[in-house]
Amino acid sequence: MALFYYDYNKYILEYINMRSIFVIFNTIFFYVFFGDCFEDKAVATATVIGLEGESETARQWGLTFIGAQKAHDAGFTGAGVRVGVFDSGIDLNHSEFAHRPFAGSADIDLSLLAGRVIPLAGDKQMHGTGVAGVIAANRNGIGMHGVAYDAIPAVTGVDLAASRFDAQMAFGFAYLGSVGAEFRNASLSIRETILPNIVDENYVEDFLPLTLFTLRQAARGSTITIWAAGNWSGKHADLPARLPYYFAELESTNLAVVALNRSGGLASYSNMCGIAAGWCLAAPGGDVEAGILIPYAGDAKAYAMQAGTSFAAPHVTGALAVVRQIFPDADLRDLRKLILKTAADLGQPGVDAVFGWGTLDLGNIVDTIAPAGRSVFASSAWSRHLAMEQMARMPFSGSLQRAASHEQVWMNGGALRAAIDASTGLPGVQAKGLALSMGVDLIEQSDLVAGFGFGYTRMQTDELGQGNSASANGYHGLGYLRWDDERWYVKSVAGVSYFHQDHTRRHISGLAGTTYSFSNPVARSKQNALGLFADVEAGRKADFRGLNTVIFARLSGAHQRFGAARESGADILGYQLDADSISTLGIGPGIRVSNRFDLGNWQVVPELELSYKRLLGSNDFSSGTALLSRNMEARTTPLGRDVFDVGAKLDFIVPDRGVTASFGYTGSFRKSAEQQKVQLGLSIQF
């Protein structure tokens, strides 16, 4: 391995520009008088064990505890994500690290004001190998595997019991950042016995000046540091893990981790979160009776059971690598938030001093990208199409004959109810709508009628069992034309629509049992859409056994384009809605039969219609969305291309007054959806 020399002199000089020379001498004073205070207190002596029977996933109980299998089954394994491990080194000869890239891994060698990295020399303290194994040990059917078994570890080896821990951390952290590690695991602690009774910002600034300088740089560059909370059974996380308490600018890029035993309680040795609760969570660390299985340094096929917050922290670090694969373009600060907000609540409800935000839950994180979490955006697009289809039928209401001796004003109103079936991973949908329209004939001739109209629709869409809904107000303008003679006819409608759409998501995927869910977050968004619709029908009239019969073909289509929007009210779990468009086109035949008879001064015209439509081109109702910069499609259950309609209508005509009232019903059925419409109409001649 080639040597890498880091200009530590330059680094120190940069620091001196920020702090006085006095502080540097004060730091050196700590180096001289406080040795062996940079360490990890082992809870149980590691014991080499043999492994039989269970699969490697089952042997590492922590994986099941944090829901890692759900992520792995979905294909998220931390592939390609570089993870930094600041520890005692690593045994690269162990089978758990065979055939793995470790580019950037090195031991650290420090002189007073200079630092360099040298080739890895193993893991004499037998600590870093276990930590790296919890994060990224191979999934090879042998022993155990890590949370992010396809991640790329970058390990810096240091002497955990040496003095000059501030310089080691500063240099090691800076080096890991230089080789591209976005996350760095720090399973270490500082003995509380060397600290004074009162620790404040000034003391910490003087005690860890170089580390603070590095962490502040990381806060600007978005590198996340994951700290073990410490194994002293204390009420607060160790000093390194609670640094954001003293320096708020560090909170967005640091996490503290306490340890859980196999029963889900706080391990007896683990510090509590304490004053670090706001950036703290819990993960499996084991106990004396049921520790965490780790690769054992010094023997390529050996494993050990060990417990400690040292092995709780890498569960979180590995989870972050998996999360980074899920959201490859997200801001790292948002991934840190996501880890906390999806943690399963533990202990007292809400963020508490023992467990912080609760238990790490990779299963919840995978659920944040579940299709059901965003399907309402596609469902609302479907309901807007229903509104345009309903408006396209308004001017004629299915009627063919109309007196042509006078201009005519007409009004129609209708109600619809439609549903989409649930399918794997997607909820059922129910839509309800009201429509009102009116218009006037501008051209009134014996064989030609033309006019214009306008209308309003109100659509309400609900996802069953989800609590997610959408509502849209639609405003429509349309023109229509009908030509007919004794045997043939053509009628057509074309229009434009404008929708103001609201979305409300009360069920936000990934928050099951979380502290964040207690605040009942509701995601809301507003979106505008423009639409075009058209309906053309042509047919031949005939008399069949005294019934007026029409054989026709119908071509109908609708197009909508909607703008971009952003959800509010759900913090990082709010979706970005892309500008997108959806088009449908259908064609098919139909038959309509009617009759006319007198009822006193009225004429009554019953009518029955059967039709079929085949949808061409794209038939999916979908729209583009993004969560934490991950682009994902929102969609409904596939609806099927074959649509069957059945309709019935009853007209009541008062000839001497030029008034026609009508009542109609249409049912529309396809593979996974159905629609029921009723319509009332009134036309007046003058």
Side-chain angles (χ1 to χ4, degrees):
M1 177 179 177
L3 296 183
F4 178 92
Y5 184 82
Y6 186 82
D7 190 352
Y8 206 60
N9 294 294
K10 179 181 177 182
Y11 184 74
I12 291 294
L13 289 174
E14 291 177 358
Y15 172 73
I16 290 174
N17 289 332
M18 300 179 63
R19 297 282 288 169
S20 68
I21 298 294
F22 171 78
V23 176
I24 297 297
F25 281 108
N26 194 41
T27 302
I28 294 173
F29 173 82
F30 276 108
Y31 288 167
V32 173
F33 290 99
F34 293 102
D36 298 335
C37 54
F38 175 40
E39 65 176 20
D40 176 82
K41 176 187 174 185
V43 174
T45 302
T47 304
V48 180
I49 61 173
L51 301 174
E52 298 178 356
E54 295 178 304
S55 70
E56 57 179 330
T57 299
R59 293 186 192 114
Q60 185 61 294
W61 61 269
L63 296 173
T64 301
F65 203 98
I66 66 171
Q69 193 62 44
K70 191 168 188 174
H72 299 159
D73 289 345
F76 301 119
T77 61
V81 180
R82 184 161 296 190
V83 180
V85 181
F86 180 79
D87 217 287
S88 63
I90 189 171
D91 180 3
L92 291 179
N93 294 319
H94 199 286
S95 61
E96 291 297 345
F97 307 113
H99 311 296
R100 296 288 294 280
F102 278 83
S105 295
D107 284 343
I108 293 175
D109 178 38
L110 293 179
S111 58
L112 183 60
L113 291 176
R116 63 172 183 164
V117 293
I118 59 177
L120 287 166
D123 182 12
K124 294 180 181 179
Q125 292 172 294
M126 298 184 179
H127 188 269
T129 299
V131 170
V134 173
I135 296 171
N138 283 331
R139 187 171 188 174
N140 56 4
I142 302 171
M144 46 75 72
H145 69 77
V147 177
Y149 53 81
D150 284 330
I152 303 172
V155 181
T156 55
V158 297
D159 184 354
L160 293 179
S163 61
R164 296 191 297 172
F165 52 90
D166 184 33
Q168 287 195 90
M169 280 198 291
F171 181 71
F173 286 178
Y175 174 72
L176 287 172
S178 74
V179 298
E182 294 185 302
F183 313 103
R184 53 193 179 205
N185 190 93
S187 288
L188 53 90
S189 64
I190 295 174
R191 284 208 311 264
E192 292 288 321
T193 55
I194 74 164
L195 301 176
N197 291 331
I198 298 176
V199 176
D200 58 17
E201 293 87 342
N202 291 330
Y203 176 85
V204 178
E205 192 81 61
D206 293 344
F207 187 52
L208 298 173
L210 305 179
T211 298
L212 287 173
F213 180 70
T214 308
L215 292 174
R216 285 169 176 145
Q217 284 190 320
R220 291 189 293 270
S222 296
T223 301
I224 307 300
T225 306
I226 301 92
W227 303 92
N231 303 329
W232 315 100
S233 303
K235 293 184 178 180
H236 303 287
D238 270 351
L239 177 60
R242 66 176 188 257
L243 286 174
Y245 174 75
Y246 307 104
F247 308 101
E249 70 272 19
L250 301 182
E251 181 175 344
S252 64
T253 51
N254 285 268
L255 287 169
V257 186
V258 301
L260 299 175
N261 57 34
R262 193 162 187 172
S263 299
L266 187 72
S268 59
Y269 55 82
S270 178
N271 288 354
M272 300 177 186
C273 292
I275 57 178
W279 55 93
C280 186
L281 72 163
D287 54 26
V288 175
E289 295 181 356
I292 301 298
L293 185 63
I294 60 172
Y296 186 77
D299 187 332
K301 297 182 179 180
Y303 298 84
M305 285 287 187
Q306 199 162 15
T309 57
S310 282
F311 307 107
H315 279 85
V316 174
T317 306
L320 279 165
V322 172
V323 175
R324 173 45 109 193
Q325 184 186 1
I326 299 173
F327 300 105
D329 299 315
D331 188 295
L332 287 176
R333 297 173 182 85
D334 287 338
L335 298 188
R336 171 195 164 278
K337 281 186 179 180
L338 186 64
I339 283 281
L340 295 174
K341 288 184 179 294
T342 55
D345 186 62
L346 193 61
Q348 293 295 318
V351 178
D352 64 73
V354 178
F355 303 103
W357 285 78
T359 306
L360 170 67
D361 195 328
L362 260 178
N364 269 349
I365 293 173
V366 174
D367 284 344
T368 64
I369 63 170
R374 56 188 176 274
S375 56
V376 68
F377 307 125
S379 301
S380 63
W382 166 71
S383 69
R384 293 194 297 266
H385 253 55
L386 297 181
M388 288 190 286
E389 289 177 357
Q390 188 176 25
M391 193 57 57
R393 299 291 184 93
M394 285 292 187
F396 300 112
S397 301
S399 296
L400 177 61
Q401 301 294 337
R402 181 189 288 172
S405 58
H406 301 279
E407 291 182 350
Q408 184 167 246
V409 172
W410 54 268
M411 293 175 289
N412 281 323
L416 70 83
R417 187 183 185 96
I420 299 177
D421 296 339
S423 61
T424 303
L426 291 169
V429 179
Q430 186 175 88
K432 299 176 182 177
L434 294 174
L436 298 171
S437 65
M438 64 182 301
V440 59
D441 296 345
L442 296 181
I443 299 176
E444 189 75 47
Q445 300 176 4
S446 60
D447 58 355
L448 181 66
V449 173
F452 76 94
F454 57 90
Y456 166 80
T457 55
R458 170 73 177 181
M459 299 297 300
Q460 176 69 33
T461 310
D462 296 289
E463 292 191 325
L464 304 180
Q466 296 291 302
N468 300 331
S469 62
S471 60
N473 293 312
Y475 306 91
H476 314 268
L478 54 90
Y480 56 90
L481 178 148
R482 188 194 80 223
W483 171 88
D484 66 292
D485 62 14
E486 292 183 357
R487 304 184 67 180
W488 297 93
Y489 77 94
V490 176
K491 62 180 182 179
S492 63
V493 180
V496 296
S497 301
Y498 170 79
F499 293 95
H500 181 73
Q501 179 77 64
D502 291 325
H503 299 108
T504 302
R505 290 194 305 131
R506 288 185 169 84
H507 178 81
I508 300 175
S509 297
L511 297 185
T514 64
T515 293
Y516 184 46
S517 69
F518 297 155
S519 65
N520 295 316
V522 178
R524 303 181 189 276
S525 61
K526 296 181 181 294
Q527 194 174 35
N528 296 323
L530 294 175
L532 300 172
F533 59 88
D535 188 283
V536 180
E537 180 181 308
R540 179 178 172 85
K541 297 179 283 187
D543 182 33
F544 180 74
R545 296 186 179 181
L547 296 176
N548 296 318
T549 304
V550 175
I551 305 295
F552 63 87
R554 179 181 292 142
L555 176 68
S556 60
H559 171 83
Q560 57 175 293
R561 182 162 187 84
F562 36 95
R566 175 74 187 185
E567 282 191 311
S568 61
D571 198 5
I572 57 169
L573 292 175
Y575 272 92
Q576 176 71 44
L577 311 185
D578 297 343
D580 211 338
S581 61
I582 298 175
S583 299
T584 61
L585 181 66
I587 187 170
I591 183 171
R592 183 183 302 116
V593 295
S594 64
N595 201 354
R596 183 185 297 253
F597 60 88
D598 294 328
L599 186 64
N601 294 327
W602 291 18
Q603 292 181 348
V604 181
V605 183
E607 183 179 275
L608 178 66
E609 177 184 311
L610 299 173
S611 64
Y612 162 79
K613 178 170 62 177
R614 174 72 175 179
L615 295 173
L616 308 176
S618 175
N619 181 42
D620 295 330
F621 279 94
S622 62
S623 62
T625 65
L627 180 65
L628 292 174
S629 298
R630 178 186 173 91
N631 293 320
M632 296 175 287
E633 183 183 67
R635 58 185 176 84
T636 65
T637 297
L639 301 182
R641 295 185 177 277
D642 300 303
V643 183
F644 298 90
D645 289 345
V646 56
K649 190 167 72 72
L650 201 59
D651 286 345
F652 299 90
I653 305 170
V654 184
D656 57 346
R657 296 194 178 186
V659 175
T660 300
S662 62
F663 172 79
Y665 162 84
T666 302
S668 182
F669 306 92
R670 55 201 298 189
K671 180 181 179 181
S672 300
E674 64 178 45
Q675 180 184 165
Q676 318 281 337
K677 291 187 293 186
V678 295
Q679 190 163 304
L680 298 174
L682 179 67
S683 63
I684 303 173
Q685 297 175 357
F686 62 92

